[in-house]
Amino acid sequence: MPEATIRAMETDEALVRLAREGDRSAMEELFRRHWGVAYRVAYRLLGHDQDAQDATQECMIKAMAHLGDFDGRSGFRTWLLRIVTNAAFDAGRRRKRRATVGLGSAEGDAGGFEPAREDDPARNLRRQDLRNTLDTALDKIPPKLRKTFVLFAEAGLTYAEIAEVQQVPIGTVMSRIYNARTKLQSYLDGVEGL
Amino acid sequence: MRCDDVTRELATPSGDLDPADLAGHLASCASCAGWASRASDLDRIWEATRPAEPSADALDALWAHASAALDARTAPATLRFEAPGRPRRRAALAFALASAAAVLFAASALFRDRAPDAPKVADNQVASPPVRATAPPPSVVKVNVDVDQIAIVRIGEGGPRVEILDETPLFASSSLADDTPHDRFNAWESMASR
Ligand SMILES: [Zn+2]
């Protein structure tokens, strides 16, 4: 059986153990396994594809370089997403300031690695409209609610995992998800063609 | 059954409410039915705007970049036991400068024809190729000198300036708690903006 196949069958815990012992192929499997979810979370928090890619890559490298700091109390993915949410939050503030002083721009953003999943330009435009609408709504809710909701809706973390990431009780996590959803729904209410 | 309990159960399912009771309430309560309808609108827009994940080829490139960055990180560690005290720091500093020079040389060669853009922090991308062909050259380079130190090399009109900073341990649980300031990332942010 090829090594990559064997690696793909290992649990995160086993891969982390091997990677900490210097096994680069175990590290590579962790990297490949979790880059996507880290990127999707960063994207939802930043609302900008290229910034999300940069933040994700930076966080993945840091996480791999500092596996020794991972205490194993939570899962690897939970630990990684904690790093990503905090970094994305700060990257978002940095980007806002860039835009404010006119050094950057909030130009149109492809929002993903593939050029487009549709051949129909009207549908692509429609998706971009939806993305802008949702990003605007996400921008309006407080960062803590936004992070919590993204970890729940995008990463699929459990209430307990989010509580671990955010260092708050599970009840607080559930309240934040509820409040975030209610606010998002009210901001999107009345948007034509949803 | 209270409306608040119903909408909370819809937003954060706990299994505490009987599904039949829930359905009965939704059938007879216009307010909760409206909430549920807006919830499904949000779910639809969320799904429709999920960004595409990297292809296998893109992941190959990302891993190659990360792997090179990790190799560059481990290089200074070999300096740790060669000489105690100041000589070690000088050796590490020399490495930091050489690394920064390599990054800047590579960046300027790649982006010679491009106009300057906002300052950018490059993180130990010494031996690795840039992932983004469209990125501006870095004017601030951060290099890990030792486990708990980084060197910031700023390139200005008067030539490079090097600054050694001590760091707190990375990604310790307490340092990334959701409700604490993200000092480490904030520090980078302020560096990048100088
Ligand atoms: Zn009701």
Side-chain angles (χ1 to χ4, degrees):
Chain A
M1 201 181 289
E3 189 185 27
T5 310
I6 297 170
R7 284 282 173 259
M9 291 161 59
E10 301 271 18
T11 62
D12 281 359
E13 289 71 24
L15 290 170
V16 167
R17 205 166 43 245
L18 290 166
R20 286 168 82 155
E21 290 165 3
D23 185 330
R24 191 53 81 87
S25 71
M27 197 178 274
E28 179 178 355
E29 175 60 26
L30 282 171
F31 182 94
R32 289 177 180 276
R33 194 177 284 185
H34 297 288
W35 207 99
V37 68
Y39 161 69
R40 285 190 282 110
V41 166
Y43 178 81
R44 294 296 194 187
L45 292 173
L46 289 166
H48 188 275
D49 176 49
Q50 199 63 67
D51 286 354
Q53 289 186 34
D54 290 348
T56 303
Q57 183 73 348
E58 187 176 335
C59 287
M60 291 301 293
I61 291 170
K62 287 186 196 330
M64 295 299 154
H66 294 277
L67 276 175
D69 292 345
F70 172 51
D71 59 17
R73 279 184 303 174
S74 60
F76 173 77
R77 190 170 69 132
T78 306
W79 179 72
L80 173 67
L81 291 177
R82 175 193 288 186
I83 295 168
V84 172
T85 51
N86 287 331
F89 175 70
D90 286 313
R93 290 192 318 175
R94 206 155 53 221
R95 178 172 160 245
K96 277 205 179 80
R97 194 175 53 221
R98 274 208 318 265
T100 306
V101 297
L103 292 172
S105 66
E107 74 283 358
D109 186 28
F113 285 83
E114 309 302 329
R117 281 174 287 184
E118 306 276 357
D119 290 332
D120 181 352
R123 293 192 71 162
N124 285 333
L125 193 62
R126 170 88 185 119
R127 190 187 301 117
Q128 191 57 49
D129 284 347
L130 287 176
R131 185 167 278 139
N132 292 341
T133 303
L134 181 58
D135 282 344
T136 303
L138 278 166
D139 247 351
K140 287 184 190 168
I141 65 175
K144 280 177 189 171
L145 298 193
R146 181 173 185 164
K147 283 196 255 184
T148 309
F149 189 75
V150 166
L151 288 170
F152 180 69
E154 191 58 60
L157 293 193
T158 64
Y159 306 135
E161 287 170 332
I162 300 171
E164 171 70 24
V165 169
Q166 304 201 313
Q167 309 275 286
V168 295
I170 286 176
T172 304
V173 170
M174 293 174 81
S175 282
R176 286 180 180 178
I177 293 169
Y178 175 75
N179 290 331
R181 181 178 265 286
T182 302
K183 284 177 191 294
L184 287 172
Q185 288 174 190
S186 72
Y187 295 142
L188 296 173
D189 193 23
V191 173
E192 209 161 305
L194 275 186
Chain B
M1 189 175 281
R2 291 165 49 221
C3 292
D4 188 57
D5 293 336
V6 170
T7 52
R8 281 181 187 277
E9 181 65 19
L10 292 174
T12 51
S14 65
D16 289 347
L17 296 188
D18 184 280
D21 290 347
L22 202 59
H25 183 95
L26 286 171
S28 62
C29 176
S31 169
C32 286
W35 196 98
S37 166
R38 290 191 294 279
S40 72
D41 286 344
L42 173 58
D43 290 344
R44 249 183 315 110
I45 188 172
W46 194 272
E47 290 300 321
T49 56
R50 177 162 284 144
E53 291 196 13
S55 63
D57 285 349
L59 264 182
D60 285 347
L62 289 163
W63 170 247
H65 167 265
S67 189
L70 289 164
D71 287 342
R73 270 177 187 272
T74 55
T78 59
L79 297 168
R80 293 196 72 191
F81 304 106
E82 286 175 2
R86 287 197 164 277
R88 175 168 68 80
R89 176 177 284 213
R90 276 201 296 273
L93 185 56
F95 179 84
L97 271 171
S99 303
V103 169
L104 290 162
F105 177 77
S108 61
L110 273 169
F111 302 103
R112 193 168 287 140
D113 300 329
R114 294 181 60 84
D117 203 336
K120 201 96 180 129
V121 174
D123 184 13
N124 275 2
Q125 296 173 349
V126 177
S128 55
V131 167
R132 296 170 53 192
T134 55
S139 59
V140 181
V141 178
K142 180 163 59 65
V143 182
N144 279 65
V145 176
D146 206 336
V147 169
D148 56 354
Q149 285 183 327
I150 56 173
I152 302 298
V153 184
R154 290 197 181 79
I155 310 303
E157 288 179 2
R161 259 186 325 119
V162 181
E163 193 178 319
I164 301 287
L165 299 177
D166 290 329
E167 285 195 307
T168 50
L170 264 184
F171 310 136
S173 300
S174 58
S175 70
L176 287 171
D178 185 57
D179 294 320
T180 58
H182 314 307
D183 292 332
R184 178 186 167 78
F185 287 106
N186 287 344
W188 292 355
E189 183 181 350
S190 61
M191 286 172 207
S193 63
R194 278 180 203 164

